[in-house]
Amino acid sequence: MIFSRIFAPSHTSQKPEKRLEAIEKLSPEKPQDKTILHELAFNDDNADVSLAALAKLDSFVLWQKMAQIAKSPKVKKAAQHSVNEAISGKGSVALSAEEKSSFLQETASTDVIIDVVQREPELLGNTELAFALLAKVDKPSFTQHVFLHANNGQLQRQLISSQSQTNTLQKWAKKLSDSPTLDAINNRINEIRAAEQKPVELKKQLTLCLSKYRALLDKADVEQVVDLQSSYHSELEGLFAQAGILSTDDKQEFEEKRSKITEQVTRYVDRIRPAWEEKQKSAVLANTQALCEQQLTHAKEQVGWLFNTRLCDATLADVATVNESVRGVEATLEQLGQLGSNDKRVDEIQLAVDGLNTKLEAFSMQQQYGQKLLSRLNVVEDVAQKLNSADVSDEQKRDLRSEFDTAIEEYSAISRELIAQPKALLQRFKAATKQVRADEKAAKSKHQDELRHVRKQISIVDNLVSQGKFRAAMAKFKKLSDNVVSLPESLKKDIDKRFQKTADDIARLEGWQSYIAAPRKPALVKEAKELAATPAENIKQRSESIKYLRSQWLSLNTPSAGDNEQENAVLQQDFDNALEKAFEPCREHYAKLDAERAAALELRRSIIEKVATVPEDIEPTELSKTLDRLAKQWRACGQVEKQAYEELKVEWKAVFSPLQKRVYGWQSDNQALKQTLVDKVNALQDADDISDAAESAQQLQQEWKRIGHAGKREESRLWAEFKASNDAIFERLKTQRKAQSSEYAEQAEKLLSSIASISVEGDDSTFQSAVQPIQEAMLALPKPQRVKVERKLEALFKQRESMQREHDAKLIEARAHAIIRLLQNDEPEARNELLEILGKRWSNLLTNASASNAPRHDRAWLTVALEVASDMPSPQSDASVRSSVQLQMMTAKLEQGEAPEAQEILSDWLQHGEVKEDESGLLQRVVTIIDNNPSMLA
């Protein structure tokens, strides 16, 4: 025992100095010495001995283990320092890549990881290691640093693919210049936005489709409802195939709605089907009867065509065609009988068909009569042509007239045997007889006119005699005598007595003519001079006065008018001079009229030239406008001489008529097109869906505008009818929309009432479940009502956001007070309550904080950094530290794009664990920062 105590190994000595000396002599290369060094390193109570043994072993694994399990702060701190030195490559410990990777993933603190990665970015070449470090650090700034500095395309692509925040991706994009990576980021942003929008779009599509599905309950056509139901079912199946992107509640809600609407539509179809089928049966019956009416009309037209147009030269094929049209009517009548029709009109149609069959059976005999009638008609036309010839004498006319009457009687006798006389033959017969009768009537009328004229002349002469106007009566009698001589002998006997009496009266008057003339001439000269001295206010009246005076003077100039020829010559000269002076204003007026007529003549010729030079390829619309304009100019031209006007009129018609025919043809085509539009808009009157009808009417209005003019009369008529039909449709639409507007307004009021009842103080789930039905329901509203509801919802959301901001502000303030109380540790009994107020993140930082995972910066440095980040002043004693902190934060911002925020710095500060007595000053400074900037606890 004594010997063993004397010669005991020095490493087992009680004195630390002896153990330190022994360590110097031990070699880690020897297994026994290595074991002793292990024992001293991990089990020796003296910190220096443990550190010396660890230094002798100089193994990263041992340093790392000691940093984890050391109880002595000195040993722990030294071990951590050695580990950090080894990781940074500054120490003597050689560290393999696997050891470094393992350490970083399993043991290293976040600050160490960040520091190592910043110094050795090549570590990021290992994608798996990079993701492990990112998951461990879990800081956006570190993730951004890795993304920007990793020379690893696969890592960048995976980071882009795994990132779900568009603002983070946008930050990354601002730091990049690599086009492929930028394109990948932009594509990912678009994917995220598209993914965010997909559920919204899908819900809109589902809501719209279900709304259309529900609208089937308002339709009365079963066939249409069934077709649309199948269509909507297929559409919903396709939409529900994408329902995986919806929340479970949303998906279940839409499923329930679909099931409910499907059941409602099915029951509705079952309910209205019997009445609809009955209506369809009635419609089929009505359509069949309408078809029968159309076929009957066609058959009548065909039979009429056969008898009126083809009676004389019809073939067997013609007869077979007409017979087939009648058989078609009979087939449709049989179908009506099968449909159970007992309408009186069916019996009437049957009687009409029987009549057509009777006509067809008699057609062969009728055709023979028709050919005989044609033969007689040719005779009538030949005789009529001879009668109308100018070379036929009166005796020949009497013979031809007898022959003509005989031919007419024979024609009439044959026509009475026909069921219906062909229109063409009847027109030819009427034309032949009409011309003969017209010639006879014209001749008789001419003679009667001559006779009336003579009688009128006799009356005029008798009246003149009775009025004492003897000279005028004698002048009129001379013309009367000539007319009586030219009368046929057959008419002279009707006026012979009256004419003889008038002739006797005139013979007695001729002896008085010379006696009347002498005193009358001076009076006429005086009247002529007075007329010349009077201003000419009315040219026509002045001209008539001159003519009257001249005619009176001429009536006095007879061979026996007087014996004094010299006196007569003086009176004649005075009379002529006076009338010449009186006529001067008329001459000036007529000269002016002649000039105006000449100008009008030239203007009309220029208009004709304009018409003649109208291009042949001019558009009809432009041609119509041009012709209207030129026609107005033609009508507005002044008067020209009658003969010149007649010549110009021929030229005008020659150039104007062909162009006008083109316009008439174009207008006729437009008339047909516009009539078609009128028929179409009339057909819309009975449309079930008035909205579709109104839309179609608007399209027809646009077509109307594209069609040209249809002529003044037809354009006005067609437009009046077209406008009236359109007005009726839009009046129906207006009435319907007014009713719908009331309904929509009621729905909107209900939604507004629902919004008013929603509390903004509930949780998100309750609030969203209350708002979502309103958002879905308002999609079916028209824009005015929808906007009204949207504004109310927007106000509700703003109110909730305002309340949420107030709540968040109070929560942050409560967190600030709670963390201050926890740091000051004044109320241990309220710790759990205060931790609950802080929330998970900050409470975890406080409860899990320890020296083992403390950041690389101490609390003094972090306090200054927190003051810098919060823009708070630091004590003068920390001025140099503050400068260093500011420099480091500026460097980080330049290199990494952003500096640490106050929130991150406070997190690191709290990770140091409980506040020690010598850190009370730092605590007070942090409390001041938190109190002034509670938002960092958001």
Side-chain angles (χ1 to χ4, degrees):
M1 292 294 292
I2 296 172
F3 184 81
S4 62
R5 285 198 303 272
I6 295 174
F7 296 101
S10 57
H11 68 273
T12 59
S13 172
Q14 297 296 324
K15 295 180 179 181
E17 295 81 4
K18 294 290 186 180
R19 296 197 297 275
L20 288 172
E21 292 176 1
I23 289 171
E24 290 295 331
K25 298 175 181 179
L26 294 174
S27 173
E29 303 299 330
K30 298 178 181 180
Q32 185 176 358
D33 291 352
K34 188 175 183 179
T35 301
I36 294 170
L37 289 172
H38 268 280
E39 182 68 21
L40 292 172
F42 288 96
N43 296 325
D44 199 283
D45 295 334
N46 188 280
D48 294 332
V49 174
S50 295
L51 291 175
L54 286 170
K56 193 71 172 180
L57 291 169
D58 199 20
S59 169
F60 175 78
V61 174
L62 298 179
W63 283 114
Q64 180 184 359
K65 186 175 181 181
M66 182 58 75
Q68 295 171 350
I69 65 174
K71 296 178 181 180
S72 170
K74 181 178 180 180
V75 175
K76 189 175 187 70
K77 185 175 182 180
Q80 288 177 344
H81 178 75
S82 297
V83 169
N84 292 339
E85 289 290 321
I87 292 297
S88 61
K90 297 178 182 178
S92 59
V93 180
L95 190 64
S96 66
E98 293 180 0
E99 289 176 330
K100 182 180 290 187
S101 174
S102 176
F103 171 74
L104 291 173
Q105 295 182 64
E106 297 173 2
T107 308
S109 65
T110 56
D111 287 339
V112 172
I113 294 173
I114 294 171
D115 183 63
V116 171
V117 170
Q118 288 177 347
R119 283 189 288 99
E120 301 181 38
E122 62 272 9
L123 291 173
L124 301 176
N126 186 337
T127 305
E128 184 178 352
L129 173 61
F131 270 104
L133 298 180
L134 288 170
K136 187 172 182 180
V137 174
D138 193 22
K139 287 185 178 181
S141 58
F142 179 67
T143 304
Q144 178 174 313
H145 174 81
V146 170
F147 176 79
L148 296 174
H149 294 86
N151 189 18
N152 186 341
Q154 180 184 359
L155 175 61
Q156 288 181 323
R157 289 191 296 273
Q158 291 184 10
L159 284 173
I160 292 171
S161 300
S162 62
Q163 183 57 250
S164 59
Q165 299 296 324
T166 55
N167 57 349
T168 302
L169 290 169
Q170 289 169 345
K171 284 183 181 179
W172 294 358
K174 291 178 181 178
K175 310 294 182 181
L176 287 175
S177 59
D178 182 20
S179 295
T181 309
L182 280 174
D183 292 341
I185 290 176
N186 291 330
N187 292 336
R188 178 57 181 161
I189 291 174
N190 293 334
E191 289 175 3
I192 293 171
R193 288 175 177 170
E196 291 173 350
Q197 195 63 25
K198 278 183 179 179
V200 177
E201 290 297 325
L202 181 58
K203 285 161 70 173
K204 285 183 180 179
Q205 292 175 9
L206 284 169
T207 302
L208 178 60
C209 188
L210 289 172
S211 298
K212 292 190 292 184
Y213 201 176
R214 186 185 290 108
L216 295 180
L217 298 173
D218 298 328
K219 297 187 180 295
D221 190 337
V222 172
E223 187 175 359
Q224 183 185 19
V225 171
V226 171
D227 291 344
L228 289 175
Q229 183 181 18
S230 176
S231 174
Y232 294 154
H233 179 75
S234 300
E235 185 176 351
L236 286 171
E237 285 295 327
L239 293 174
F240 274 102
Q242 310 170 40
I245 62 176
L246 298 178
S247 66
T248 304
D249 292 342
D250 288 341
K251 182 178 180 181
Q252 183 179 355
E253 182 181 357
F254 280 113
E255 286 283 5
E256 290 174 355
K257 286 183 179 179
R258 178 174 70 164
S259 177
K260 181 180 178 181
I261 294 172
T262 301
E263 183 181 353
Q264 289 175 343
V265 172
T266 302
R267 288 202 307 267
Y268 174 70
V269 170
D270 293 340
R271 187 175 73 253
I272 67 172
R273 187 184 293 277
W276 178 80
E277 290 178 345
E278 185 64 28
K279 184 178 179 181
Q280 289 296 107
K281 182 178 178 182
S282 301
V284 171
L285 183 61
N287 292 336
T288 305
Q289 190 165 341
L291 174 63
C292 190
E293 293 283 0
Q294 293 176 358
Q295 290 178 324
L296 177 62
T297 301
H298 178 66
K300 286 181 178 180
E301 291 174 352
Q302 288 289 93
V303 172
W305 169 77
L306 186 65
F307 276 83
N308 290 324
T309 307
R310 304 285 293 169
L311 180 64
C312 297
D313 51 359
T315 63
L316 290 176
D318 294 335
V319 177
T321 301
V322 175
N323 190 61
E324 187 64 29
S325 66
V326 178
R327 299 289 83 76
V329 183
E330 291 177 340
T332 306
L333 279 173
E334 183 178 355
Q335 187 178 358
L336 283 173
Q338 294 173 355
L339 291 172
S341 174
N342 54 3
D343 193 345
K344 182 180 178 181
R345 177 59 183 160
V346 176
D347 297 335
E348 295 174 355
I349 294 174
Q350 184 63 58
L351 290 175
V353 171
D354 293 341
L356 295 177
N357 284 326
T358 302
K359 283 186 176 182
L360 289 176
E361 290 171 359
F363 179 74
S364 178
M365 183 60 70
Q366 290 288 304
Q367 190 174 38
Q368 296 177 23
Y369 283 125
Q371 292 169 350
K372 291 180 181 179
L373 187 70
L374 179 61
S375 175
R376 287 294 87 196
L377 177 61
N378 292 332
V379 174
V380 170
E381 289 177 335
D382 291 341
V383 176
Q385 186 176 7
K386 292 176 182 179
L387 277 172
N388 296 330
S389 175
D391 301 333
V392 181
S393 64
D394 293 341
E395 185 177 356
Q396 288 175 329
K397 278 190 176 181
R398 284 195 295 272
D399 294 339
L400 288 172
R401 178 65 192 179
S402 177
E403 184 180 352
F404 183 74
D405 293 340
T406 302
I408 288 178
E409 290 178 1
E410 292 175 352
Y411 179 89
S412 300
I414 296 172
S415 66
R416 287 192 290 271
E417 298 295 331
L418 292 174
I419 296 174
Q421 189 175 168
K423 292 182 179 179
L425 300 184
L426 182 60
Q427 289 174 353
R428 288 172 58 187
F429 175 75
K430 288 181 178 179
T433 56
K434 181 179 180 182
Q435 186 61 42
V436 173
R437 292 192 179 98
D439 290 346
E440 291 177 351
K441 185 177 180 181
K444 186 177 180 180
S445 177
K446 179 180 178 182
H447 293 322
Q448 290 297 325
D449 289 342
E450 290 175 352
L451 185 60
R452 280 194 297 271
H453 182 64
V454 169
R455 284 173 175 167
K456 184 177 180 182
Q457 284 181 317
I458 293 173
S459 298
I460 291 172
V461 172
D462 290 343
N463 289 333
L464 290 173
V465 172
S466 63
Q467 294 172 6
K469 300 177 180 179
F470 303 131
R471 296 191 181 281
M474 288 186 287
K476 292 285 185 183
F477 182 76
K478 184 178 180 181
K479 293 181 180 179
L480 171 62
S481 299
D482 295 339
N483 291 335
V484 170
V485 171
S486 65
L487 283 176
E489 292 297 329
S490 61
L491 297 178
K492 286 181 180 180
K493 59 183 180 180
D494 294 336
I495 60 166
D496 187 52
K497 290 182 179 181
R498 285 190 65 189
F499 177 73
Q500 191 61 43
K501 179 180 178 299
T502 302
D504 292 342
D505 292 339
I506 294 300
R508 286 194 299 270
L509 292 174
E510 287 178 348
W512 291 87
Q513 186 172 6
S514 298
Y515 175 78
I516 296 171
R520 180 65 178 150
K521 284 187 176 182
L524 291 177
V525 171
K526 183 180 179 180
E527 288 183 26
K529 289 180 177 180
E530 290 176 354
L531 181 65
T534 304
E537 296 179 356
N538 189 324
I539 296 298
K540 184 178 180 181
Q541 187 176 352
R542 171 66 64 91
S543 179
E544 292 293 332
S545 299
I546 293 172
K547 287 180 181 179
Y548 174 74
L549 291 173
R550 177 68 70 182
S551 64
Q552 290 292 312
W553 183 272
L554 291 175
S555 66
L556 300 176
N557 286 338
T558 61
S560 59
D563 297 332
N564 193 345
E565 295 183 0
Q566 184 177 0
E567 184 180 355
N568 286 337
V570 172
L571 290 174
Q572 180 71 47
Q573 185 66 37
D574 292 344
F575 183 77
D576 290 341
N577 292 337
L579 286 188
E580 183 65 25
K581 185 177 180 180
F583 190 71
E584 285 179 0
C586 298
R587 184 177 290 106
E588 293 175 0
H589 175 72
Y590 292 138
K592 182 179 179 181
L593 290 180
D594 289 341
E596 291 177 354
R597 290 191 184 98
L601 181 65
E602 292 302 320
L603 181 57
R604 289 182 184 275
R605 285 174 178 168
S606 67
I607 294 173
I608 292 173
E609 291 178 2
K610 290 179 181 178
V611 176
T613 56
V614 172
E616 294 184 0
D617 58 348
I618 187 172
E619 289 293 328
T621 305
E622 188 62 29
L623 177 61
S624 176
K625 293 178 181 178
T626 302
L627 292 185
D628 285 344
R629 184 177 67 255
L630 293 175
K632 288 179 181 178
Q633 293 176 3
W634 176 268
R635 290 192 293 270
C637 288
Q639 294 183 350
V640 296
E641 295 296 335
K642 185 175 181 181
Q643 183 178 358
Y645 177 75
E646 293 299 330
E647 294 175 357
L648 288 175
K649 189 175 180 181
V650 172
E651 296 181 26
W652 166 260
K653 288 185 176 180
V655 296
F656 189 82
S657 296
L659 299 177
Q660 193 175 39
K661 286 182 180 179
R662 283 181 57 192
V663 172
Y664 285 162
W666 172 70
Q667 290 178 344
S668 178
D669 294 339
N670 294 338
Q671 178 185 343
L673 293 174
K674 289 191 173 182
Q675 183 63 54
T676 302
L677 296 184
V678 171
D679 296 339
K680 287 182 179 180
V681 78
N682 287 337
L684 295 175
Q685 298 294 330
D686 300 326
D688 293 334
D689 193 336
I690 190 62
S691 297
D692 290 346
E695 185 176 349
S696 300
Q698 288 180 334
Q699 294 175 357
L700 293 177
Q701 290 174 5
Q702 296 302 318
E703 292 183 32
W704 182 282
K705 293 178 181 179
R706 290 192 290 270
I707 298 173
H709 204 269
K712 292 182 180 179
R713 182 180 301 174
E714 289 300 319
E715 181 72 20
S716 300
R717 179 186 67 79
L718 290 169
W719 172 246
E721 187 175 351
F722 184 73
K723 183 177 183 298
S725 297
N726 274 278
D727 290 346
I729 290 172
F730 286 102
E731 185 62 31
R732 281 184 60 198
L733 179 64
K734 182 179 178 181
T735 303
Q736 184 189 71
R737 285 182 173 174
K738 187 174 181 181
Q740 288 179 345
S741 179
S742 300
E743 182 181 350
Y744 287 136
E746 184 179 351
Q747 293 177 7
E749 287 300 325
K750 289 181 179 179
L751 293 178
L752 291 174
S753 299
S754 300
I755 293 172
S757 64
I758 295 175
S759 172
V760 296
E761 298 179 356
D763 56 36
D764 290 344
S765 177
T766 303
F767 181 78
Q768 189 62 33
S769 62
V771 169
Q772 185 175 354
I774 297 174
Q775 290 175 321
E776 294 174 357
M778 74 179 185
L779 294 176
L781 294 176
K783 186 175 181 180
Q785 287 83 3
R786 187 174 68 251
V787 169
K788 192 174 181 181
V789 176
E790 286 175 348
R791 288 176 179 171
K792 191 72 174 178
L793 271 180
E794 185 177 354
L796 182 69
F797 283 127
K798 288 182 178 178
Q799 184 181 354
R800 180 173 173 80
E801 289 174 1
S802 176
M803 185 211 69
Q804 192 68 42
R805 285 194 297 271
E806 292 179 3
H807 176 270
D808 291 344
K810 290 179 180 179
L811 180 60
I812 291 171
E813 188 174 352
R815 284 179 182 173
H817 291 312
I819 200 168
I820 290 172
R821 290 165 63 186
L822 285 169
L823 290 174
Q824 292 175 344
N825 200 19
D826 293 338
E827 304 172 76
E829 67 282 358
R831 180 178 177 82
N832 292 334
E833 181 181 351
L834 296 173
L835 288 173
E836 186 175 351
I837 294 173
L838 279 181
K840 186 177 180 180
R841 177 187 175 188
W842 297 103
S843 60
N844 286 340
L845 285 172
L846 287 173
T847 55
N848 297 329
S850 65
S852 60
N853 59 353
R856 59 174 177 168
H857 296 295
D858 57 19
R859 268 192 168 139
W861 189 94
L862 291 172
T863 301
V864 175
L866 195 57
E867 289 170 338
V868 171
S870 303
D871 199 20
M872 296 282 291
S874 302
Q876 188 63 35
S877 58
D878 289 336
S880 60
V881 178
R882 186 180 178 96
S883 299
S884 175
V885 169
Q886 289 174 331
L887 180 61
Q888 291 184 41
M889 294 176 74
M890 187 181 300
T891 303
K893 186 172 184 179
L894 292 173
E895 292 180 352
Q896 303 176 21
E898 58 182 0
E901 297 180 355
Q903 198 176 61
E904 295 180 16
I905 298 171
L906 180 60
S907 299
D908 290 346
W909 198 93
L910 294 175
Q911 286 181 11
H912 278 283
E914 294 183 5
V915 180
K916 300 175 183 178
E917 293 183 4
D918 58 347
E919 295 175 334
S920 58
L922 300 178
L923 173 61
Q924 188 57 42
R925 288 160 64 183
V926 169
V927 168
T928 302
I929 294 170
I930 295 173
D931 198 31
N932 284 277
N933 300 279
S935 59
M936 70 174 65
L937 295 171

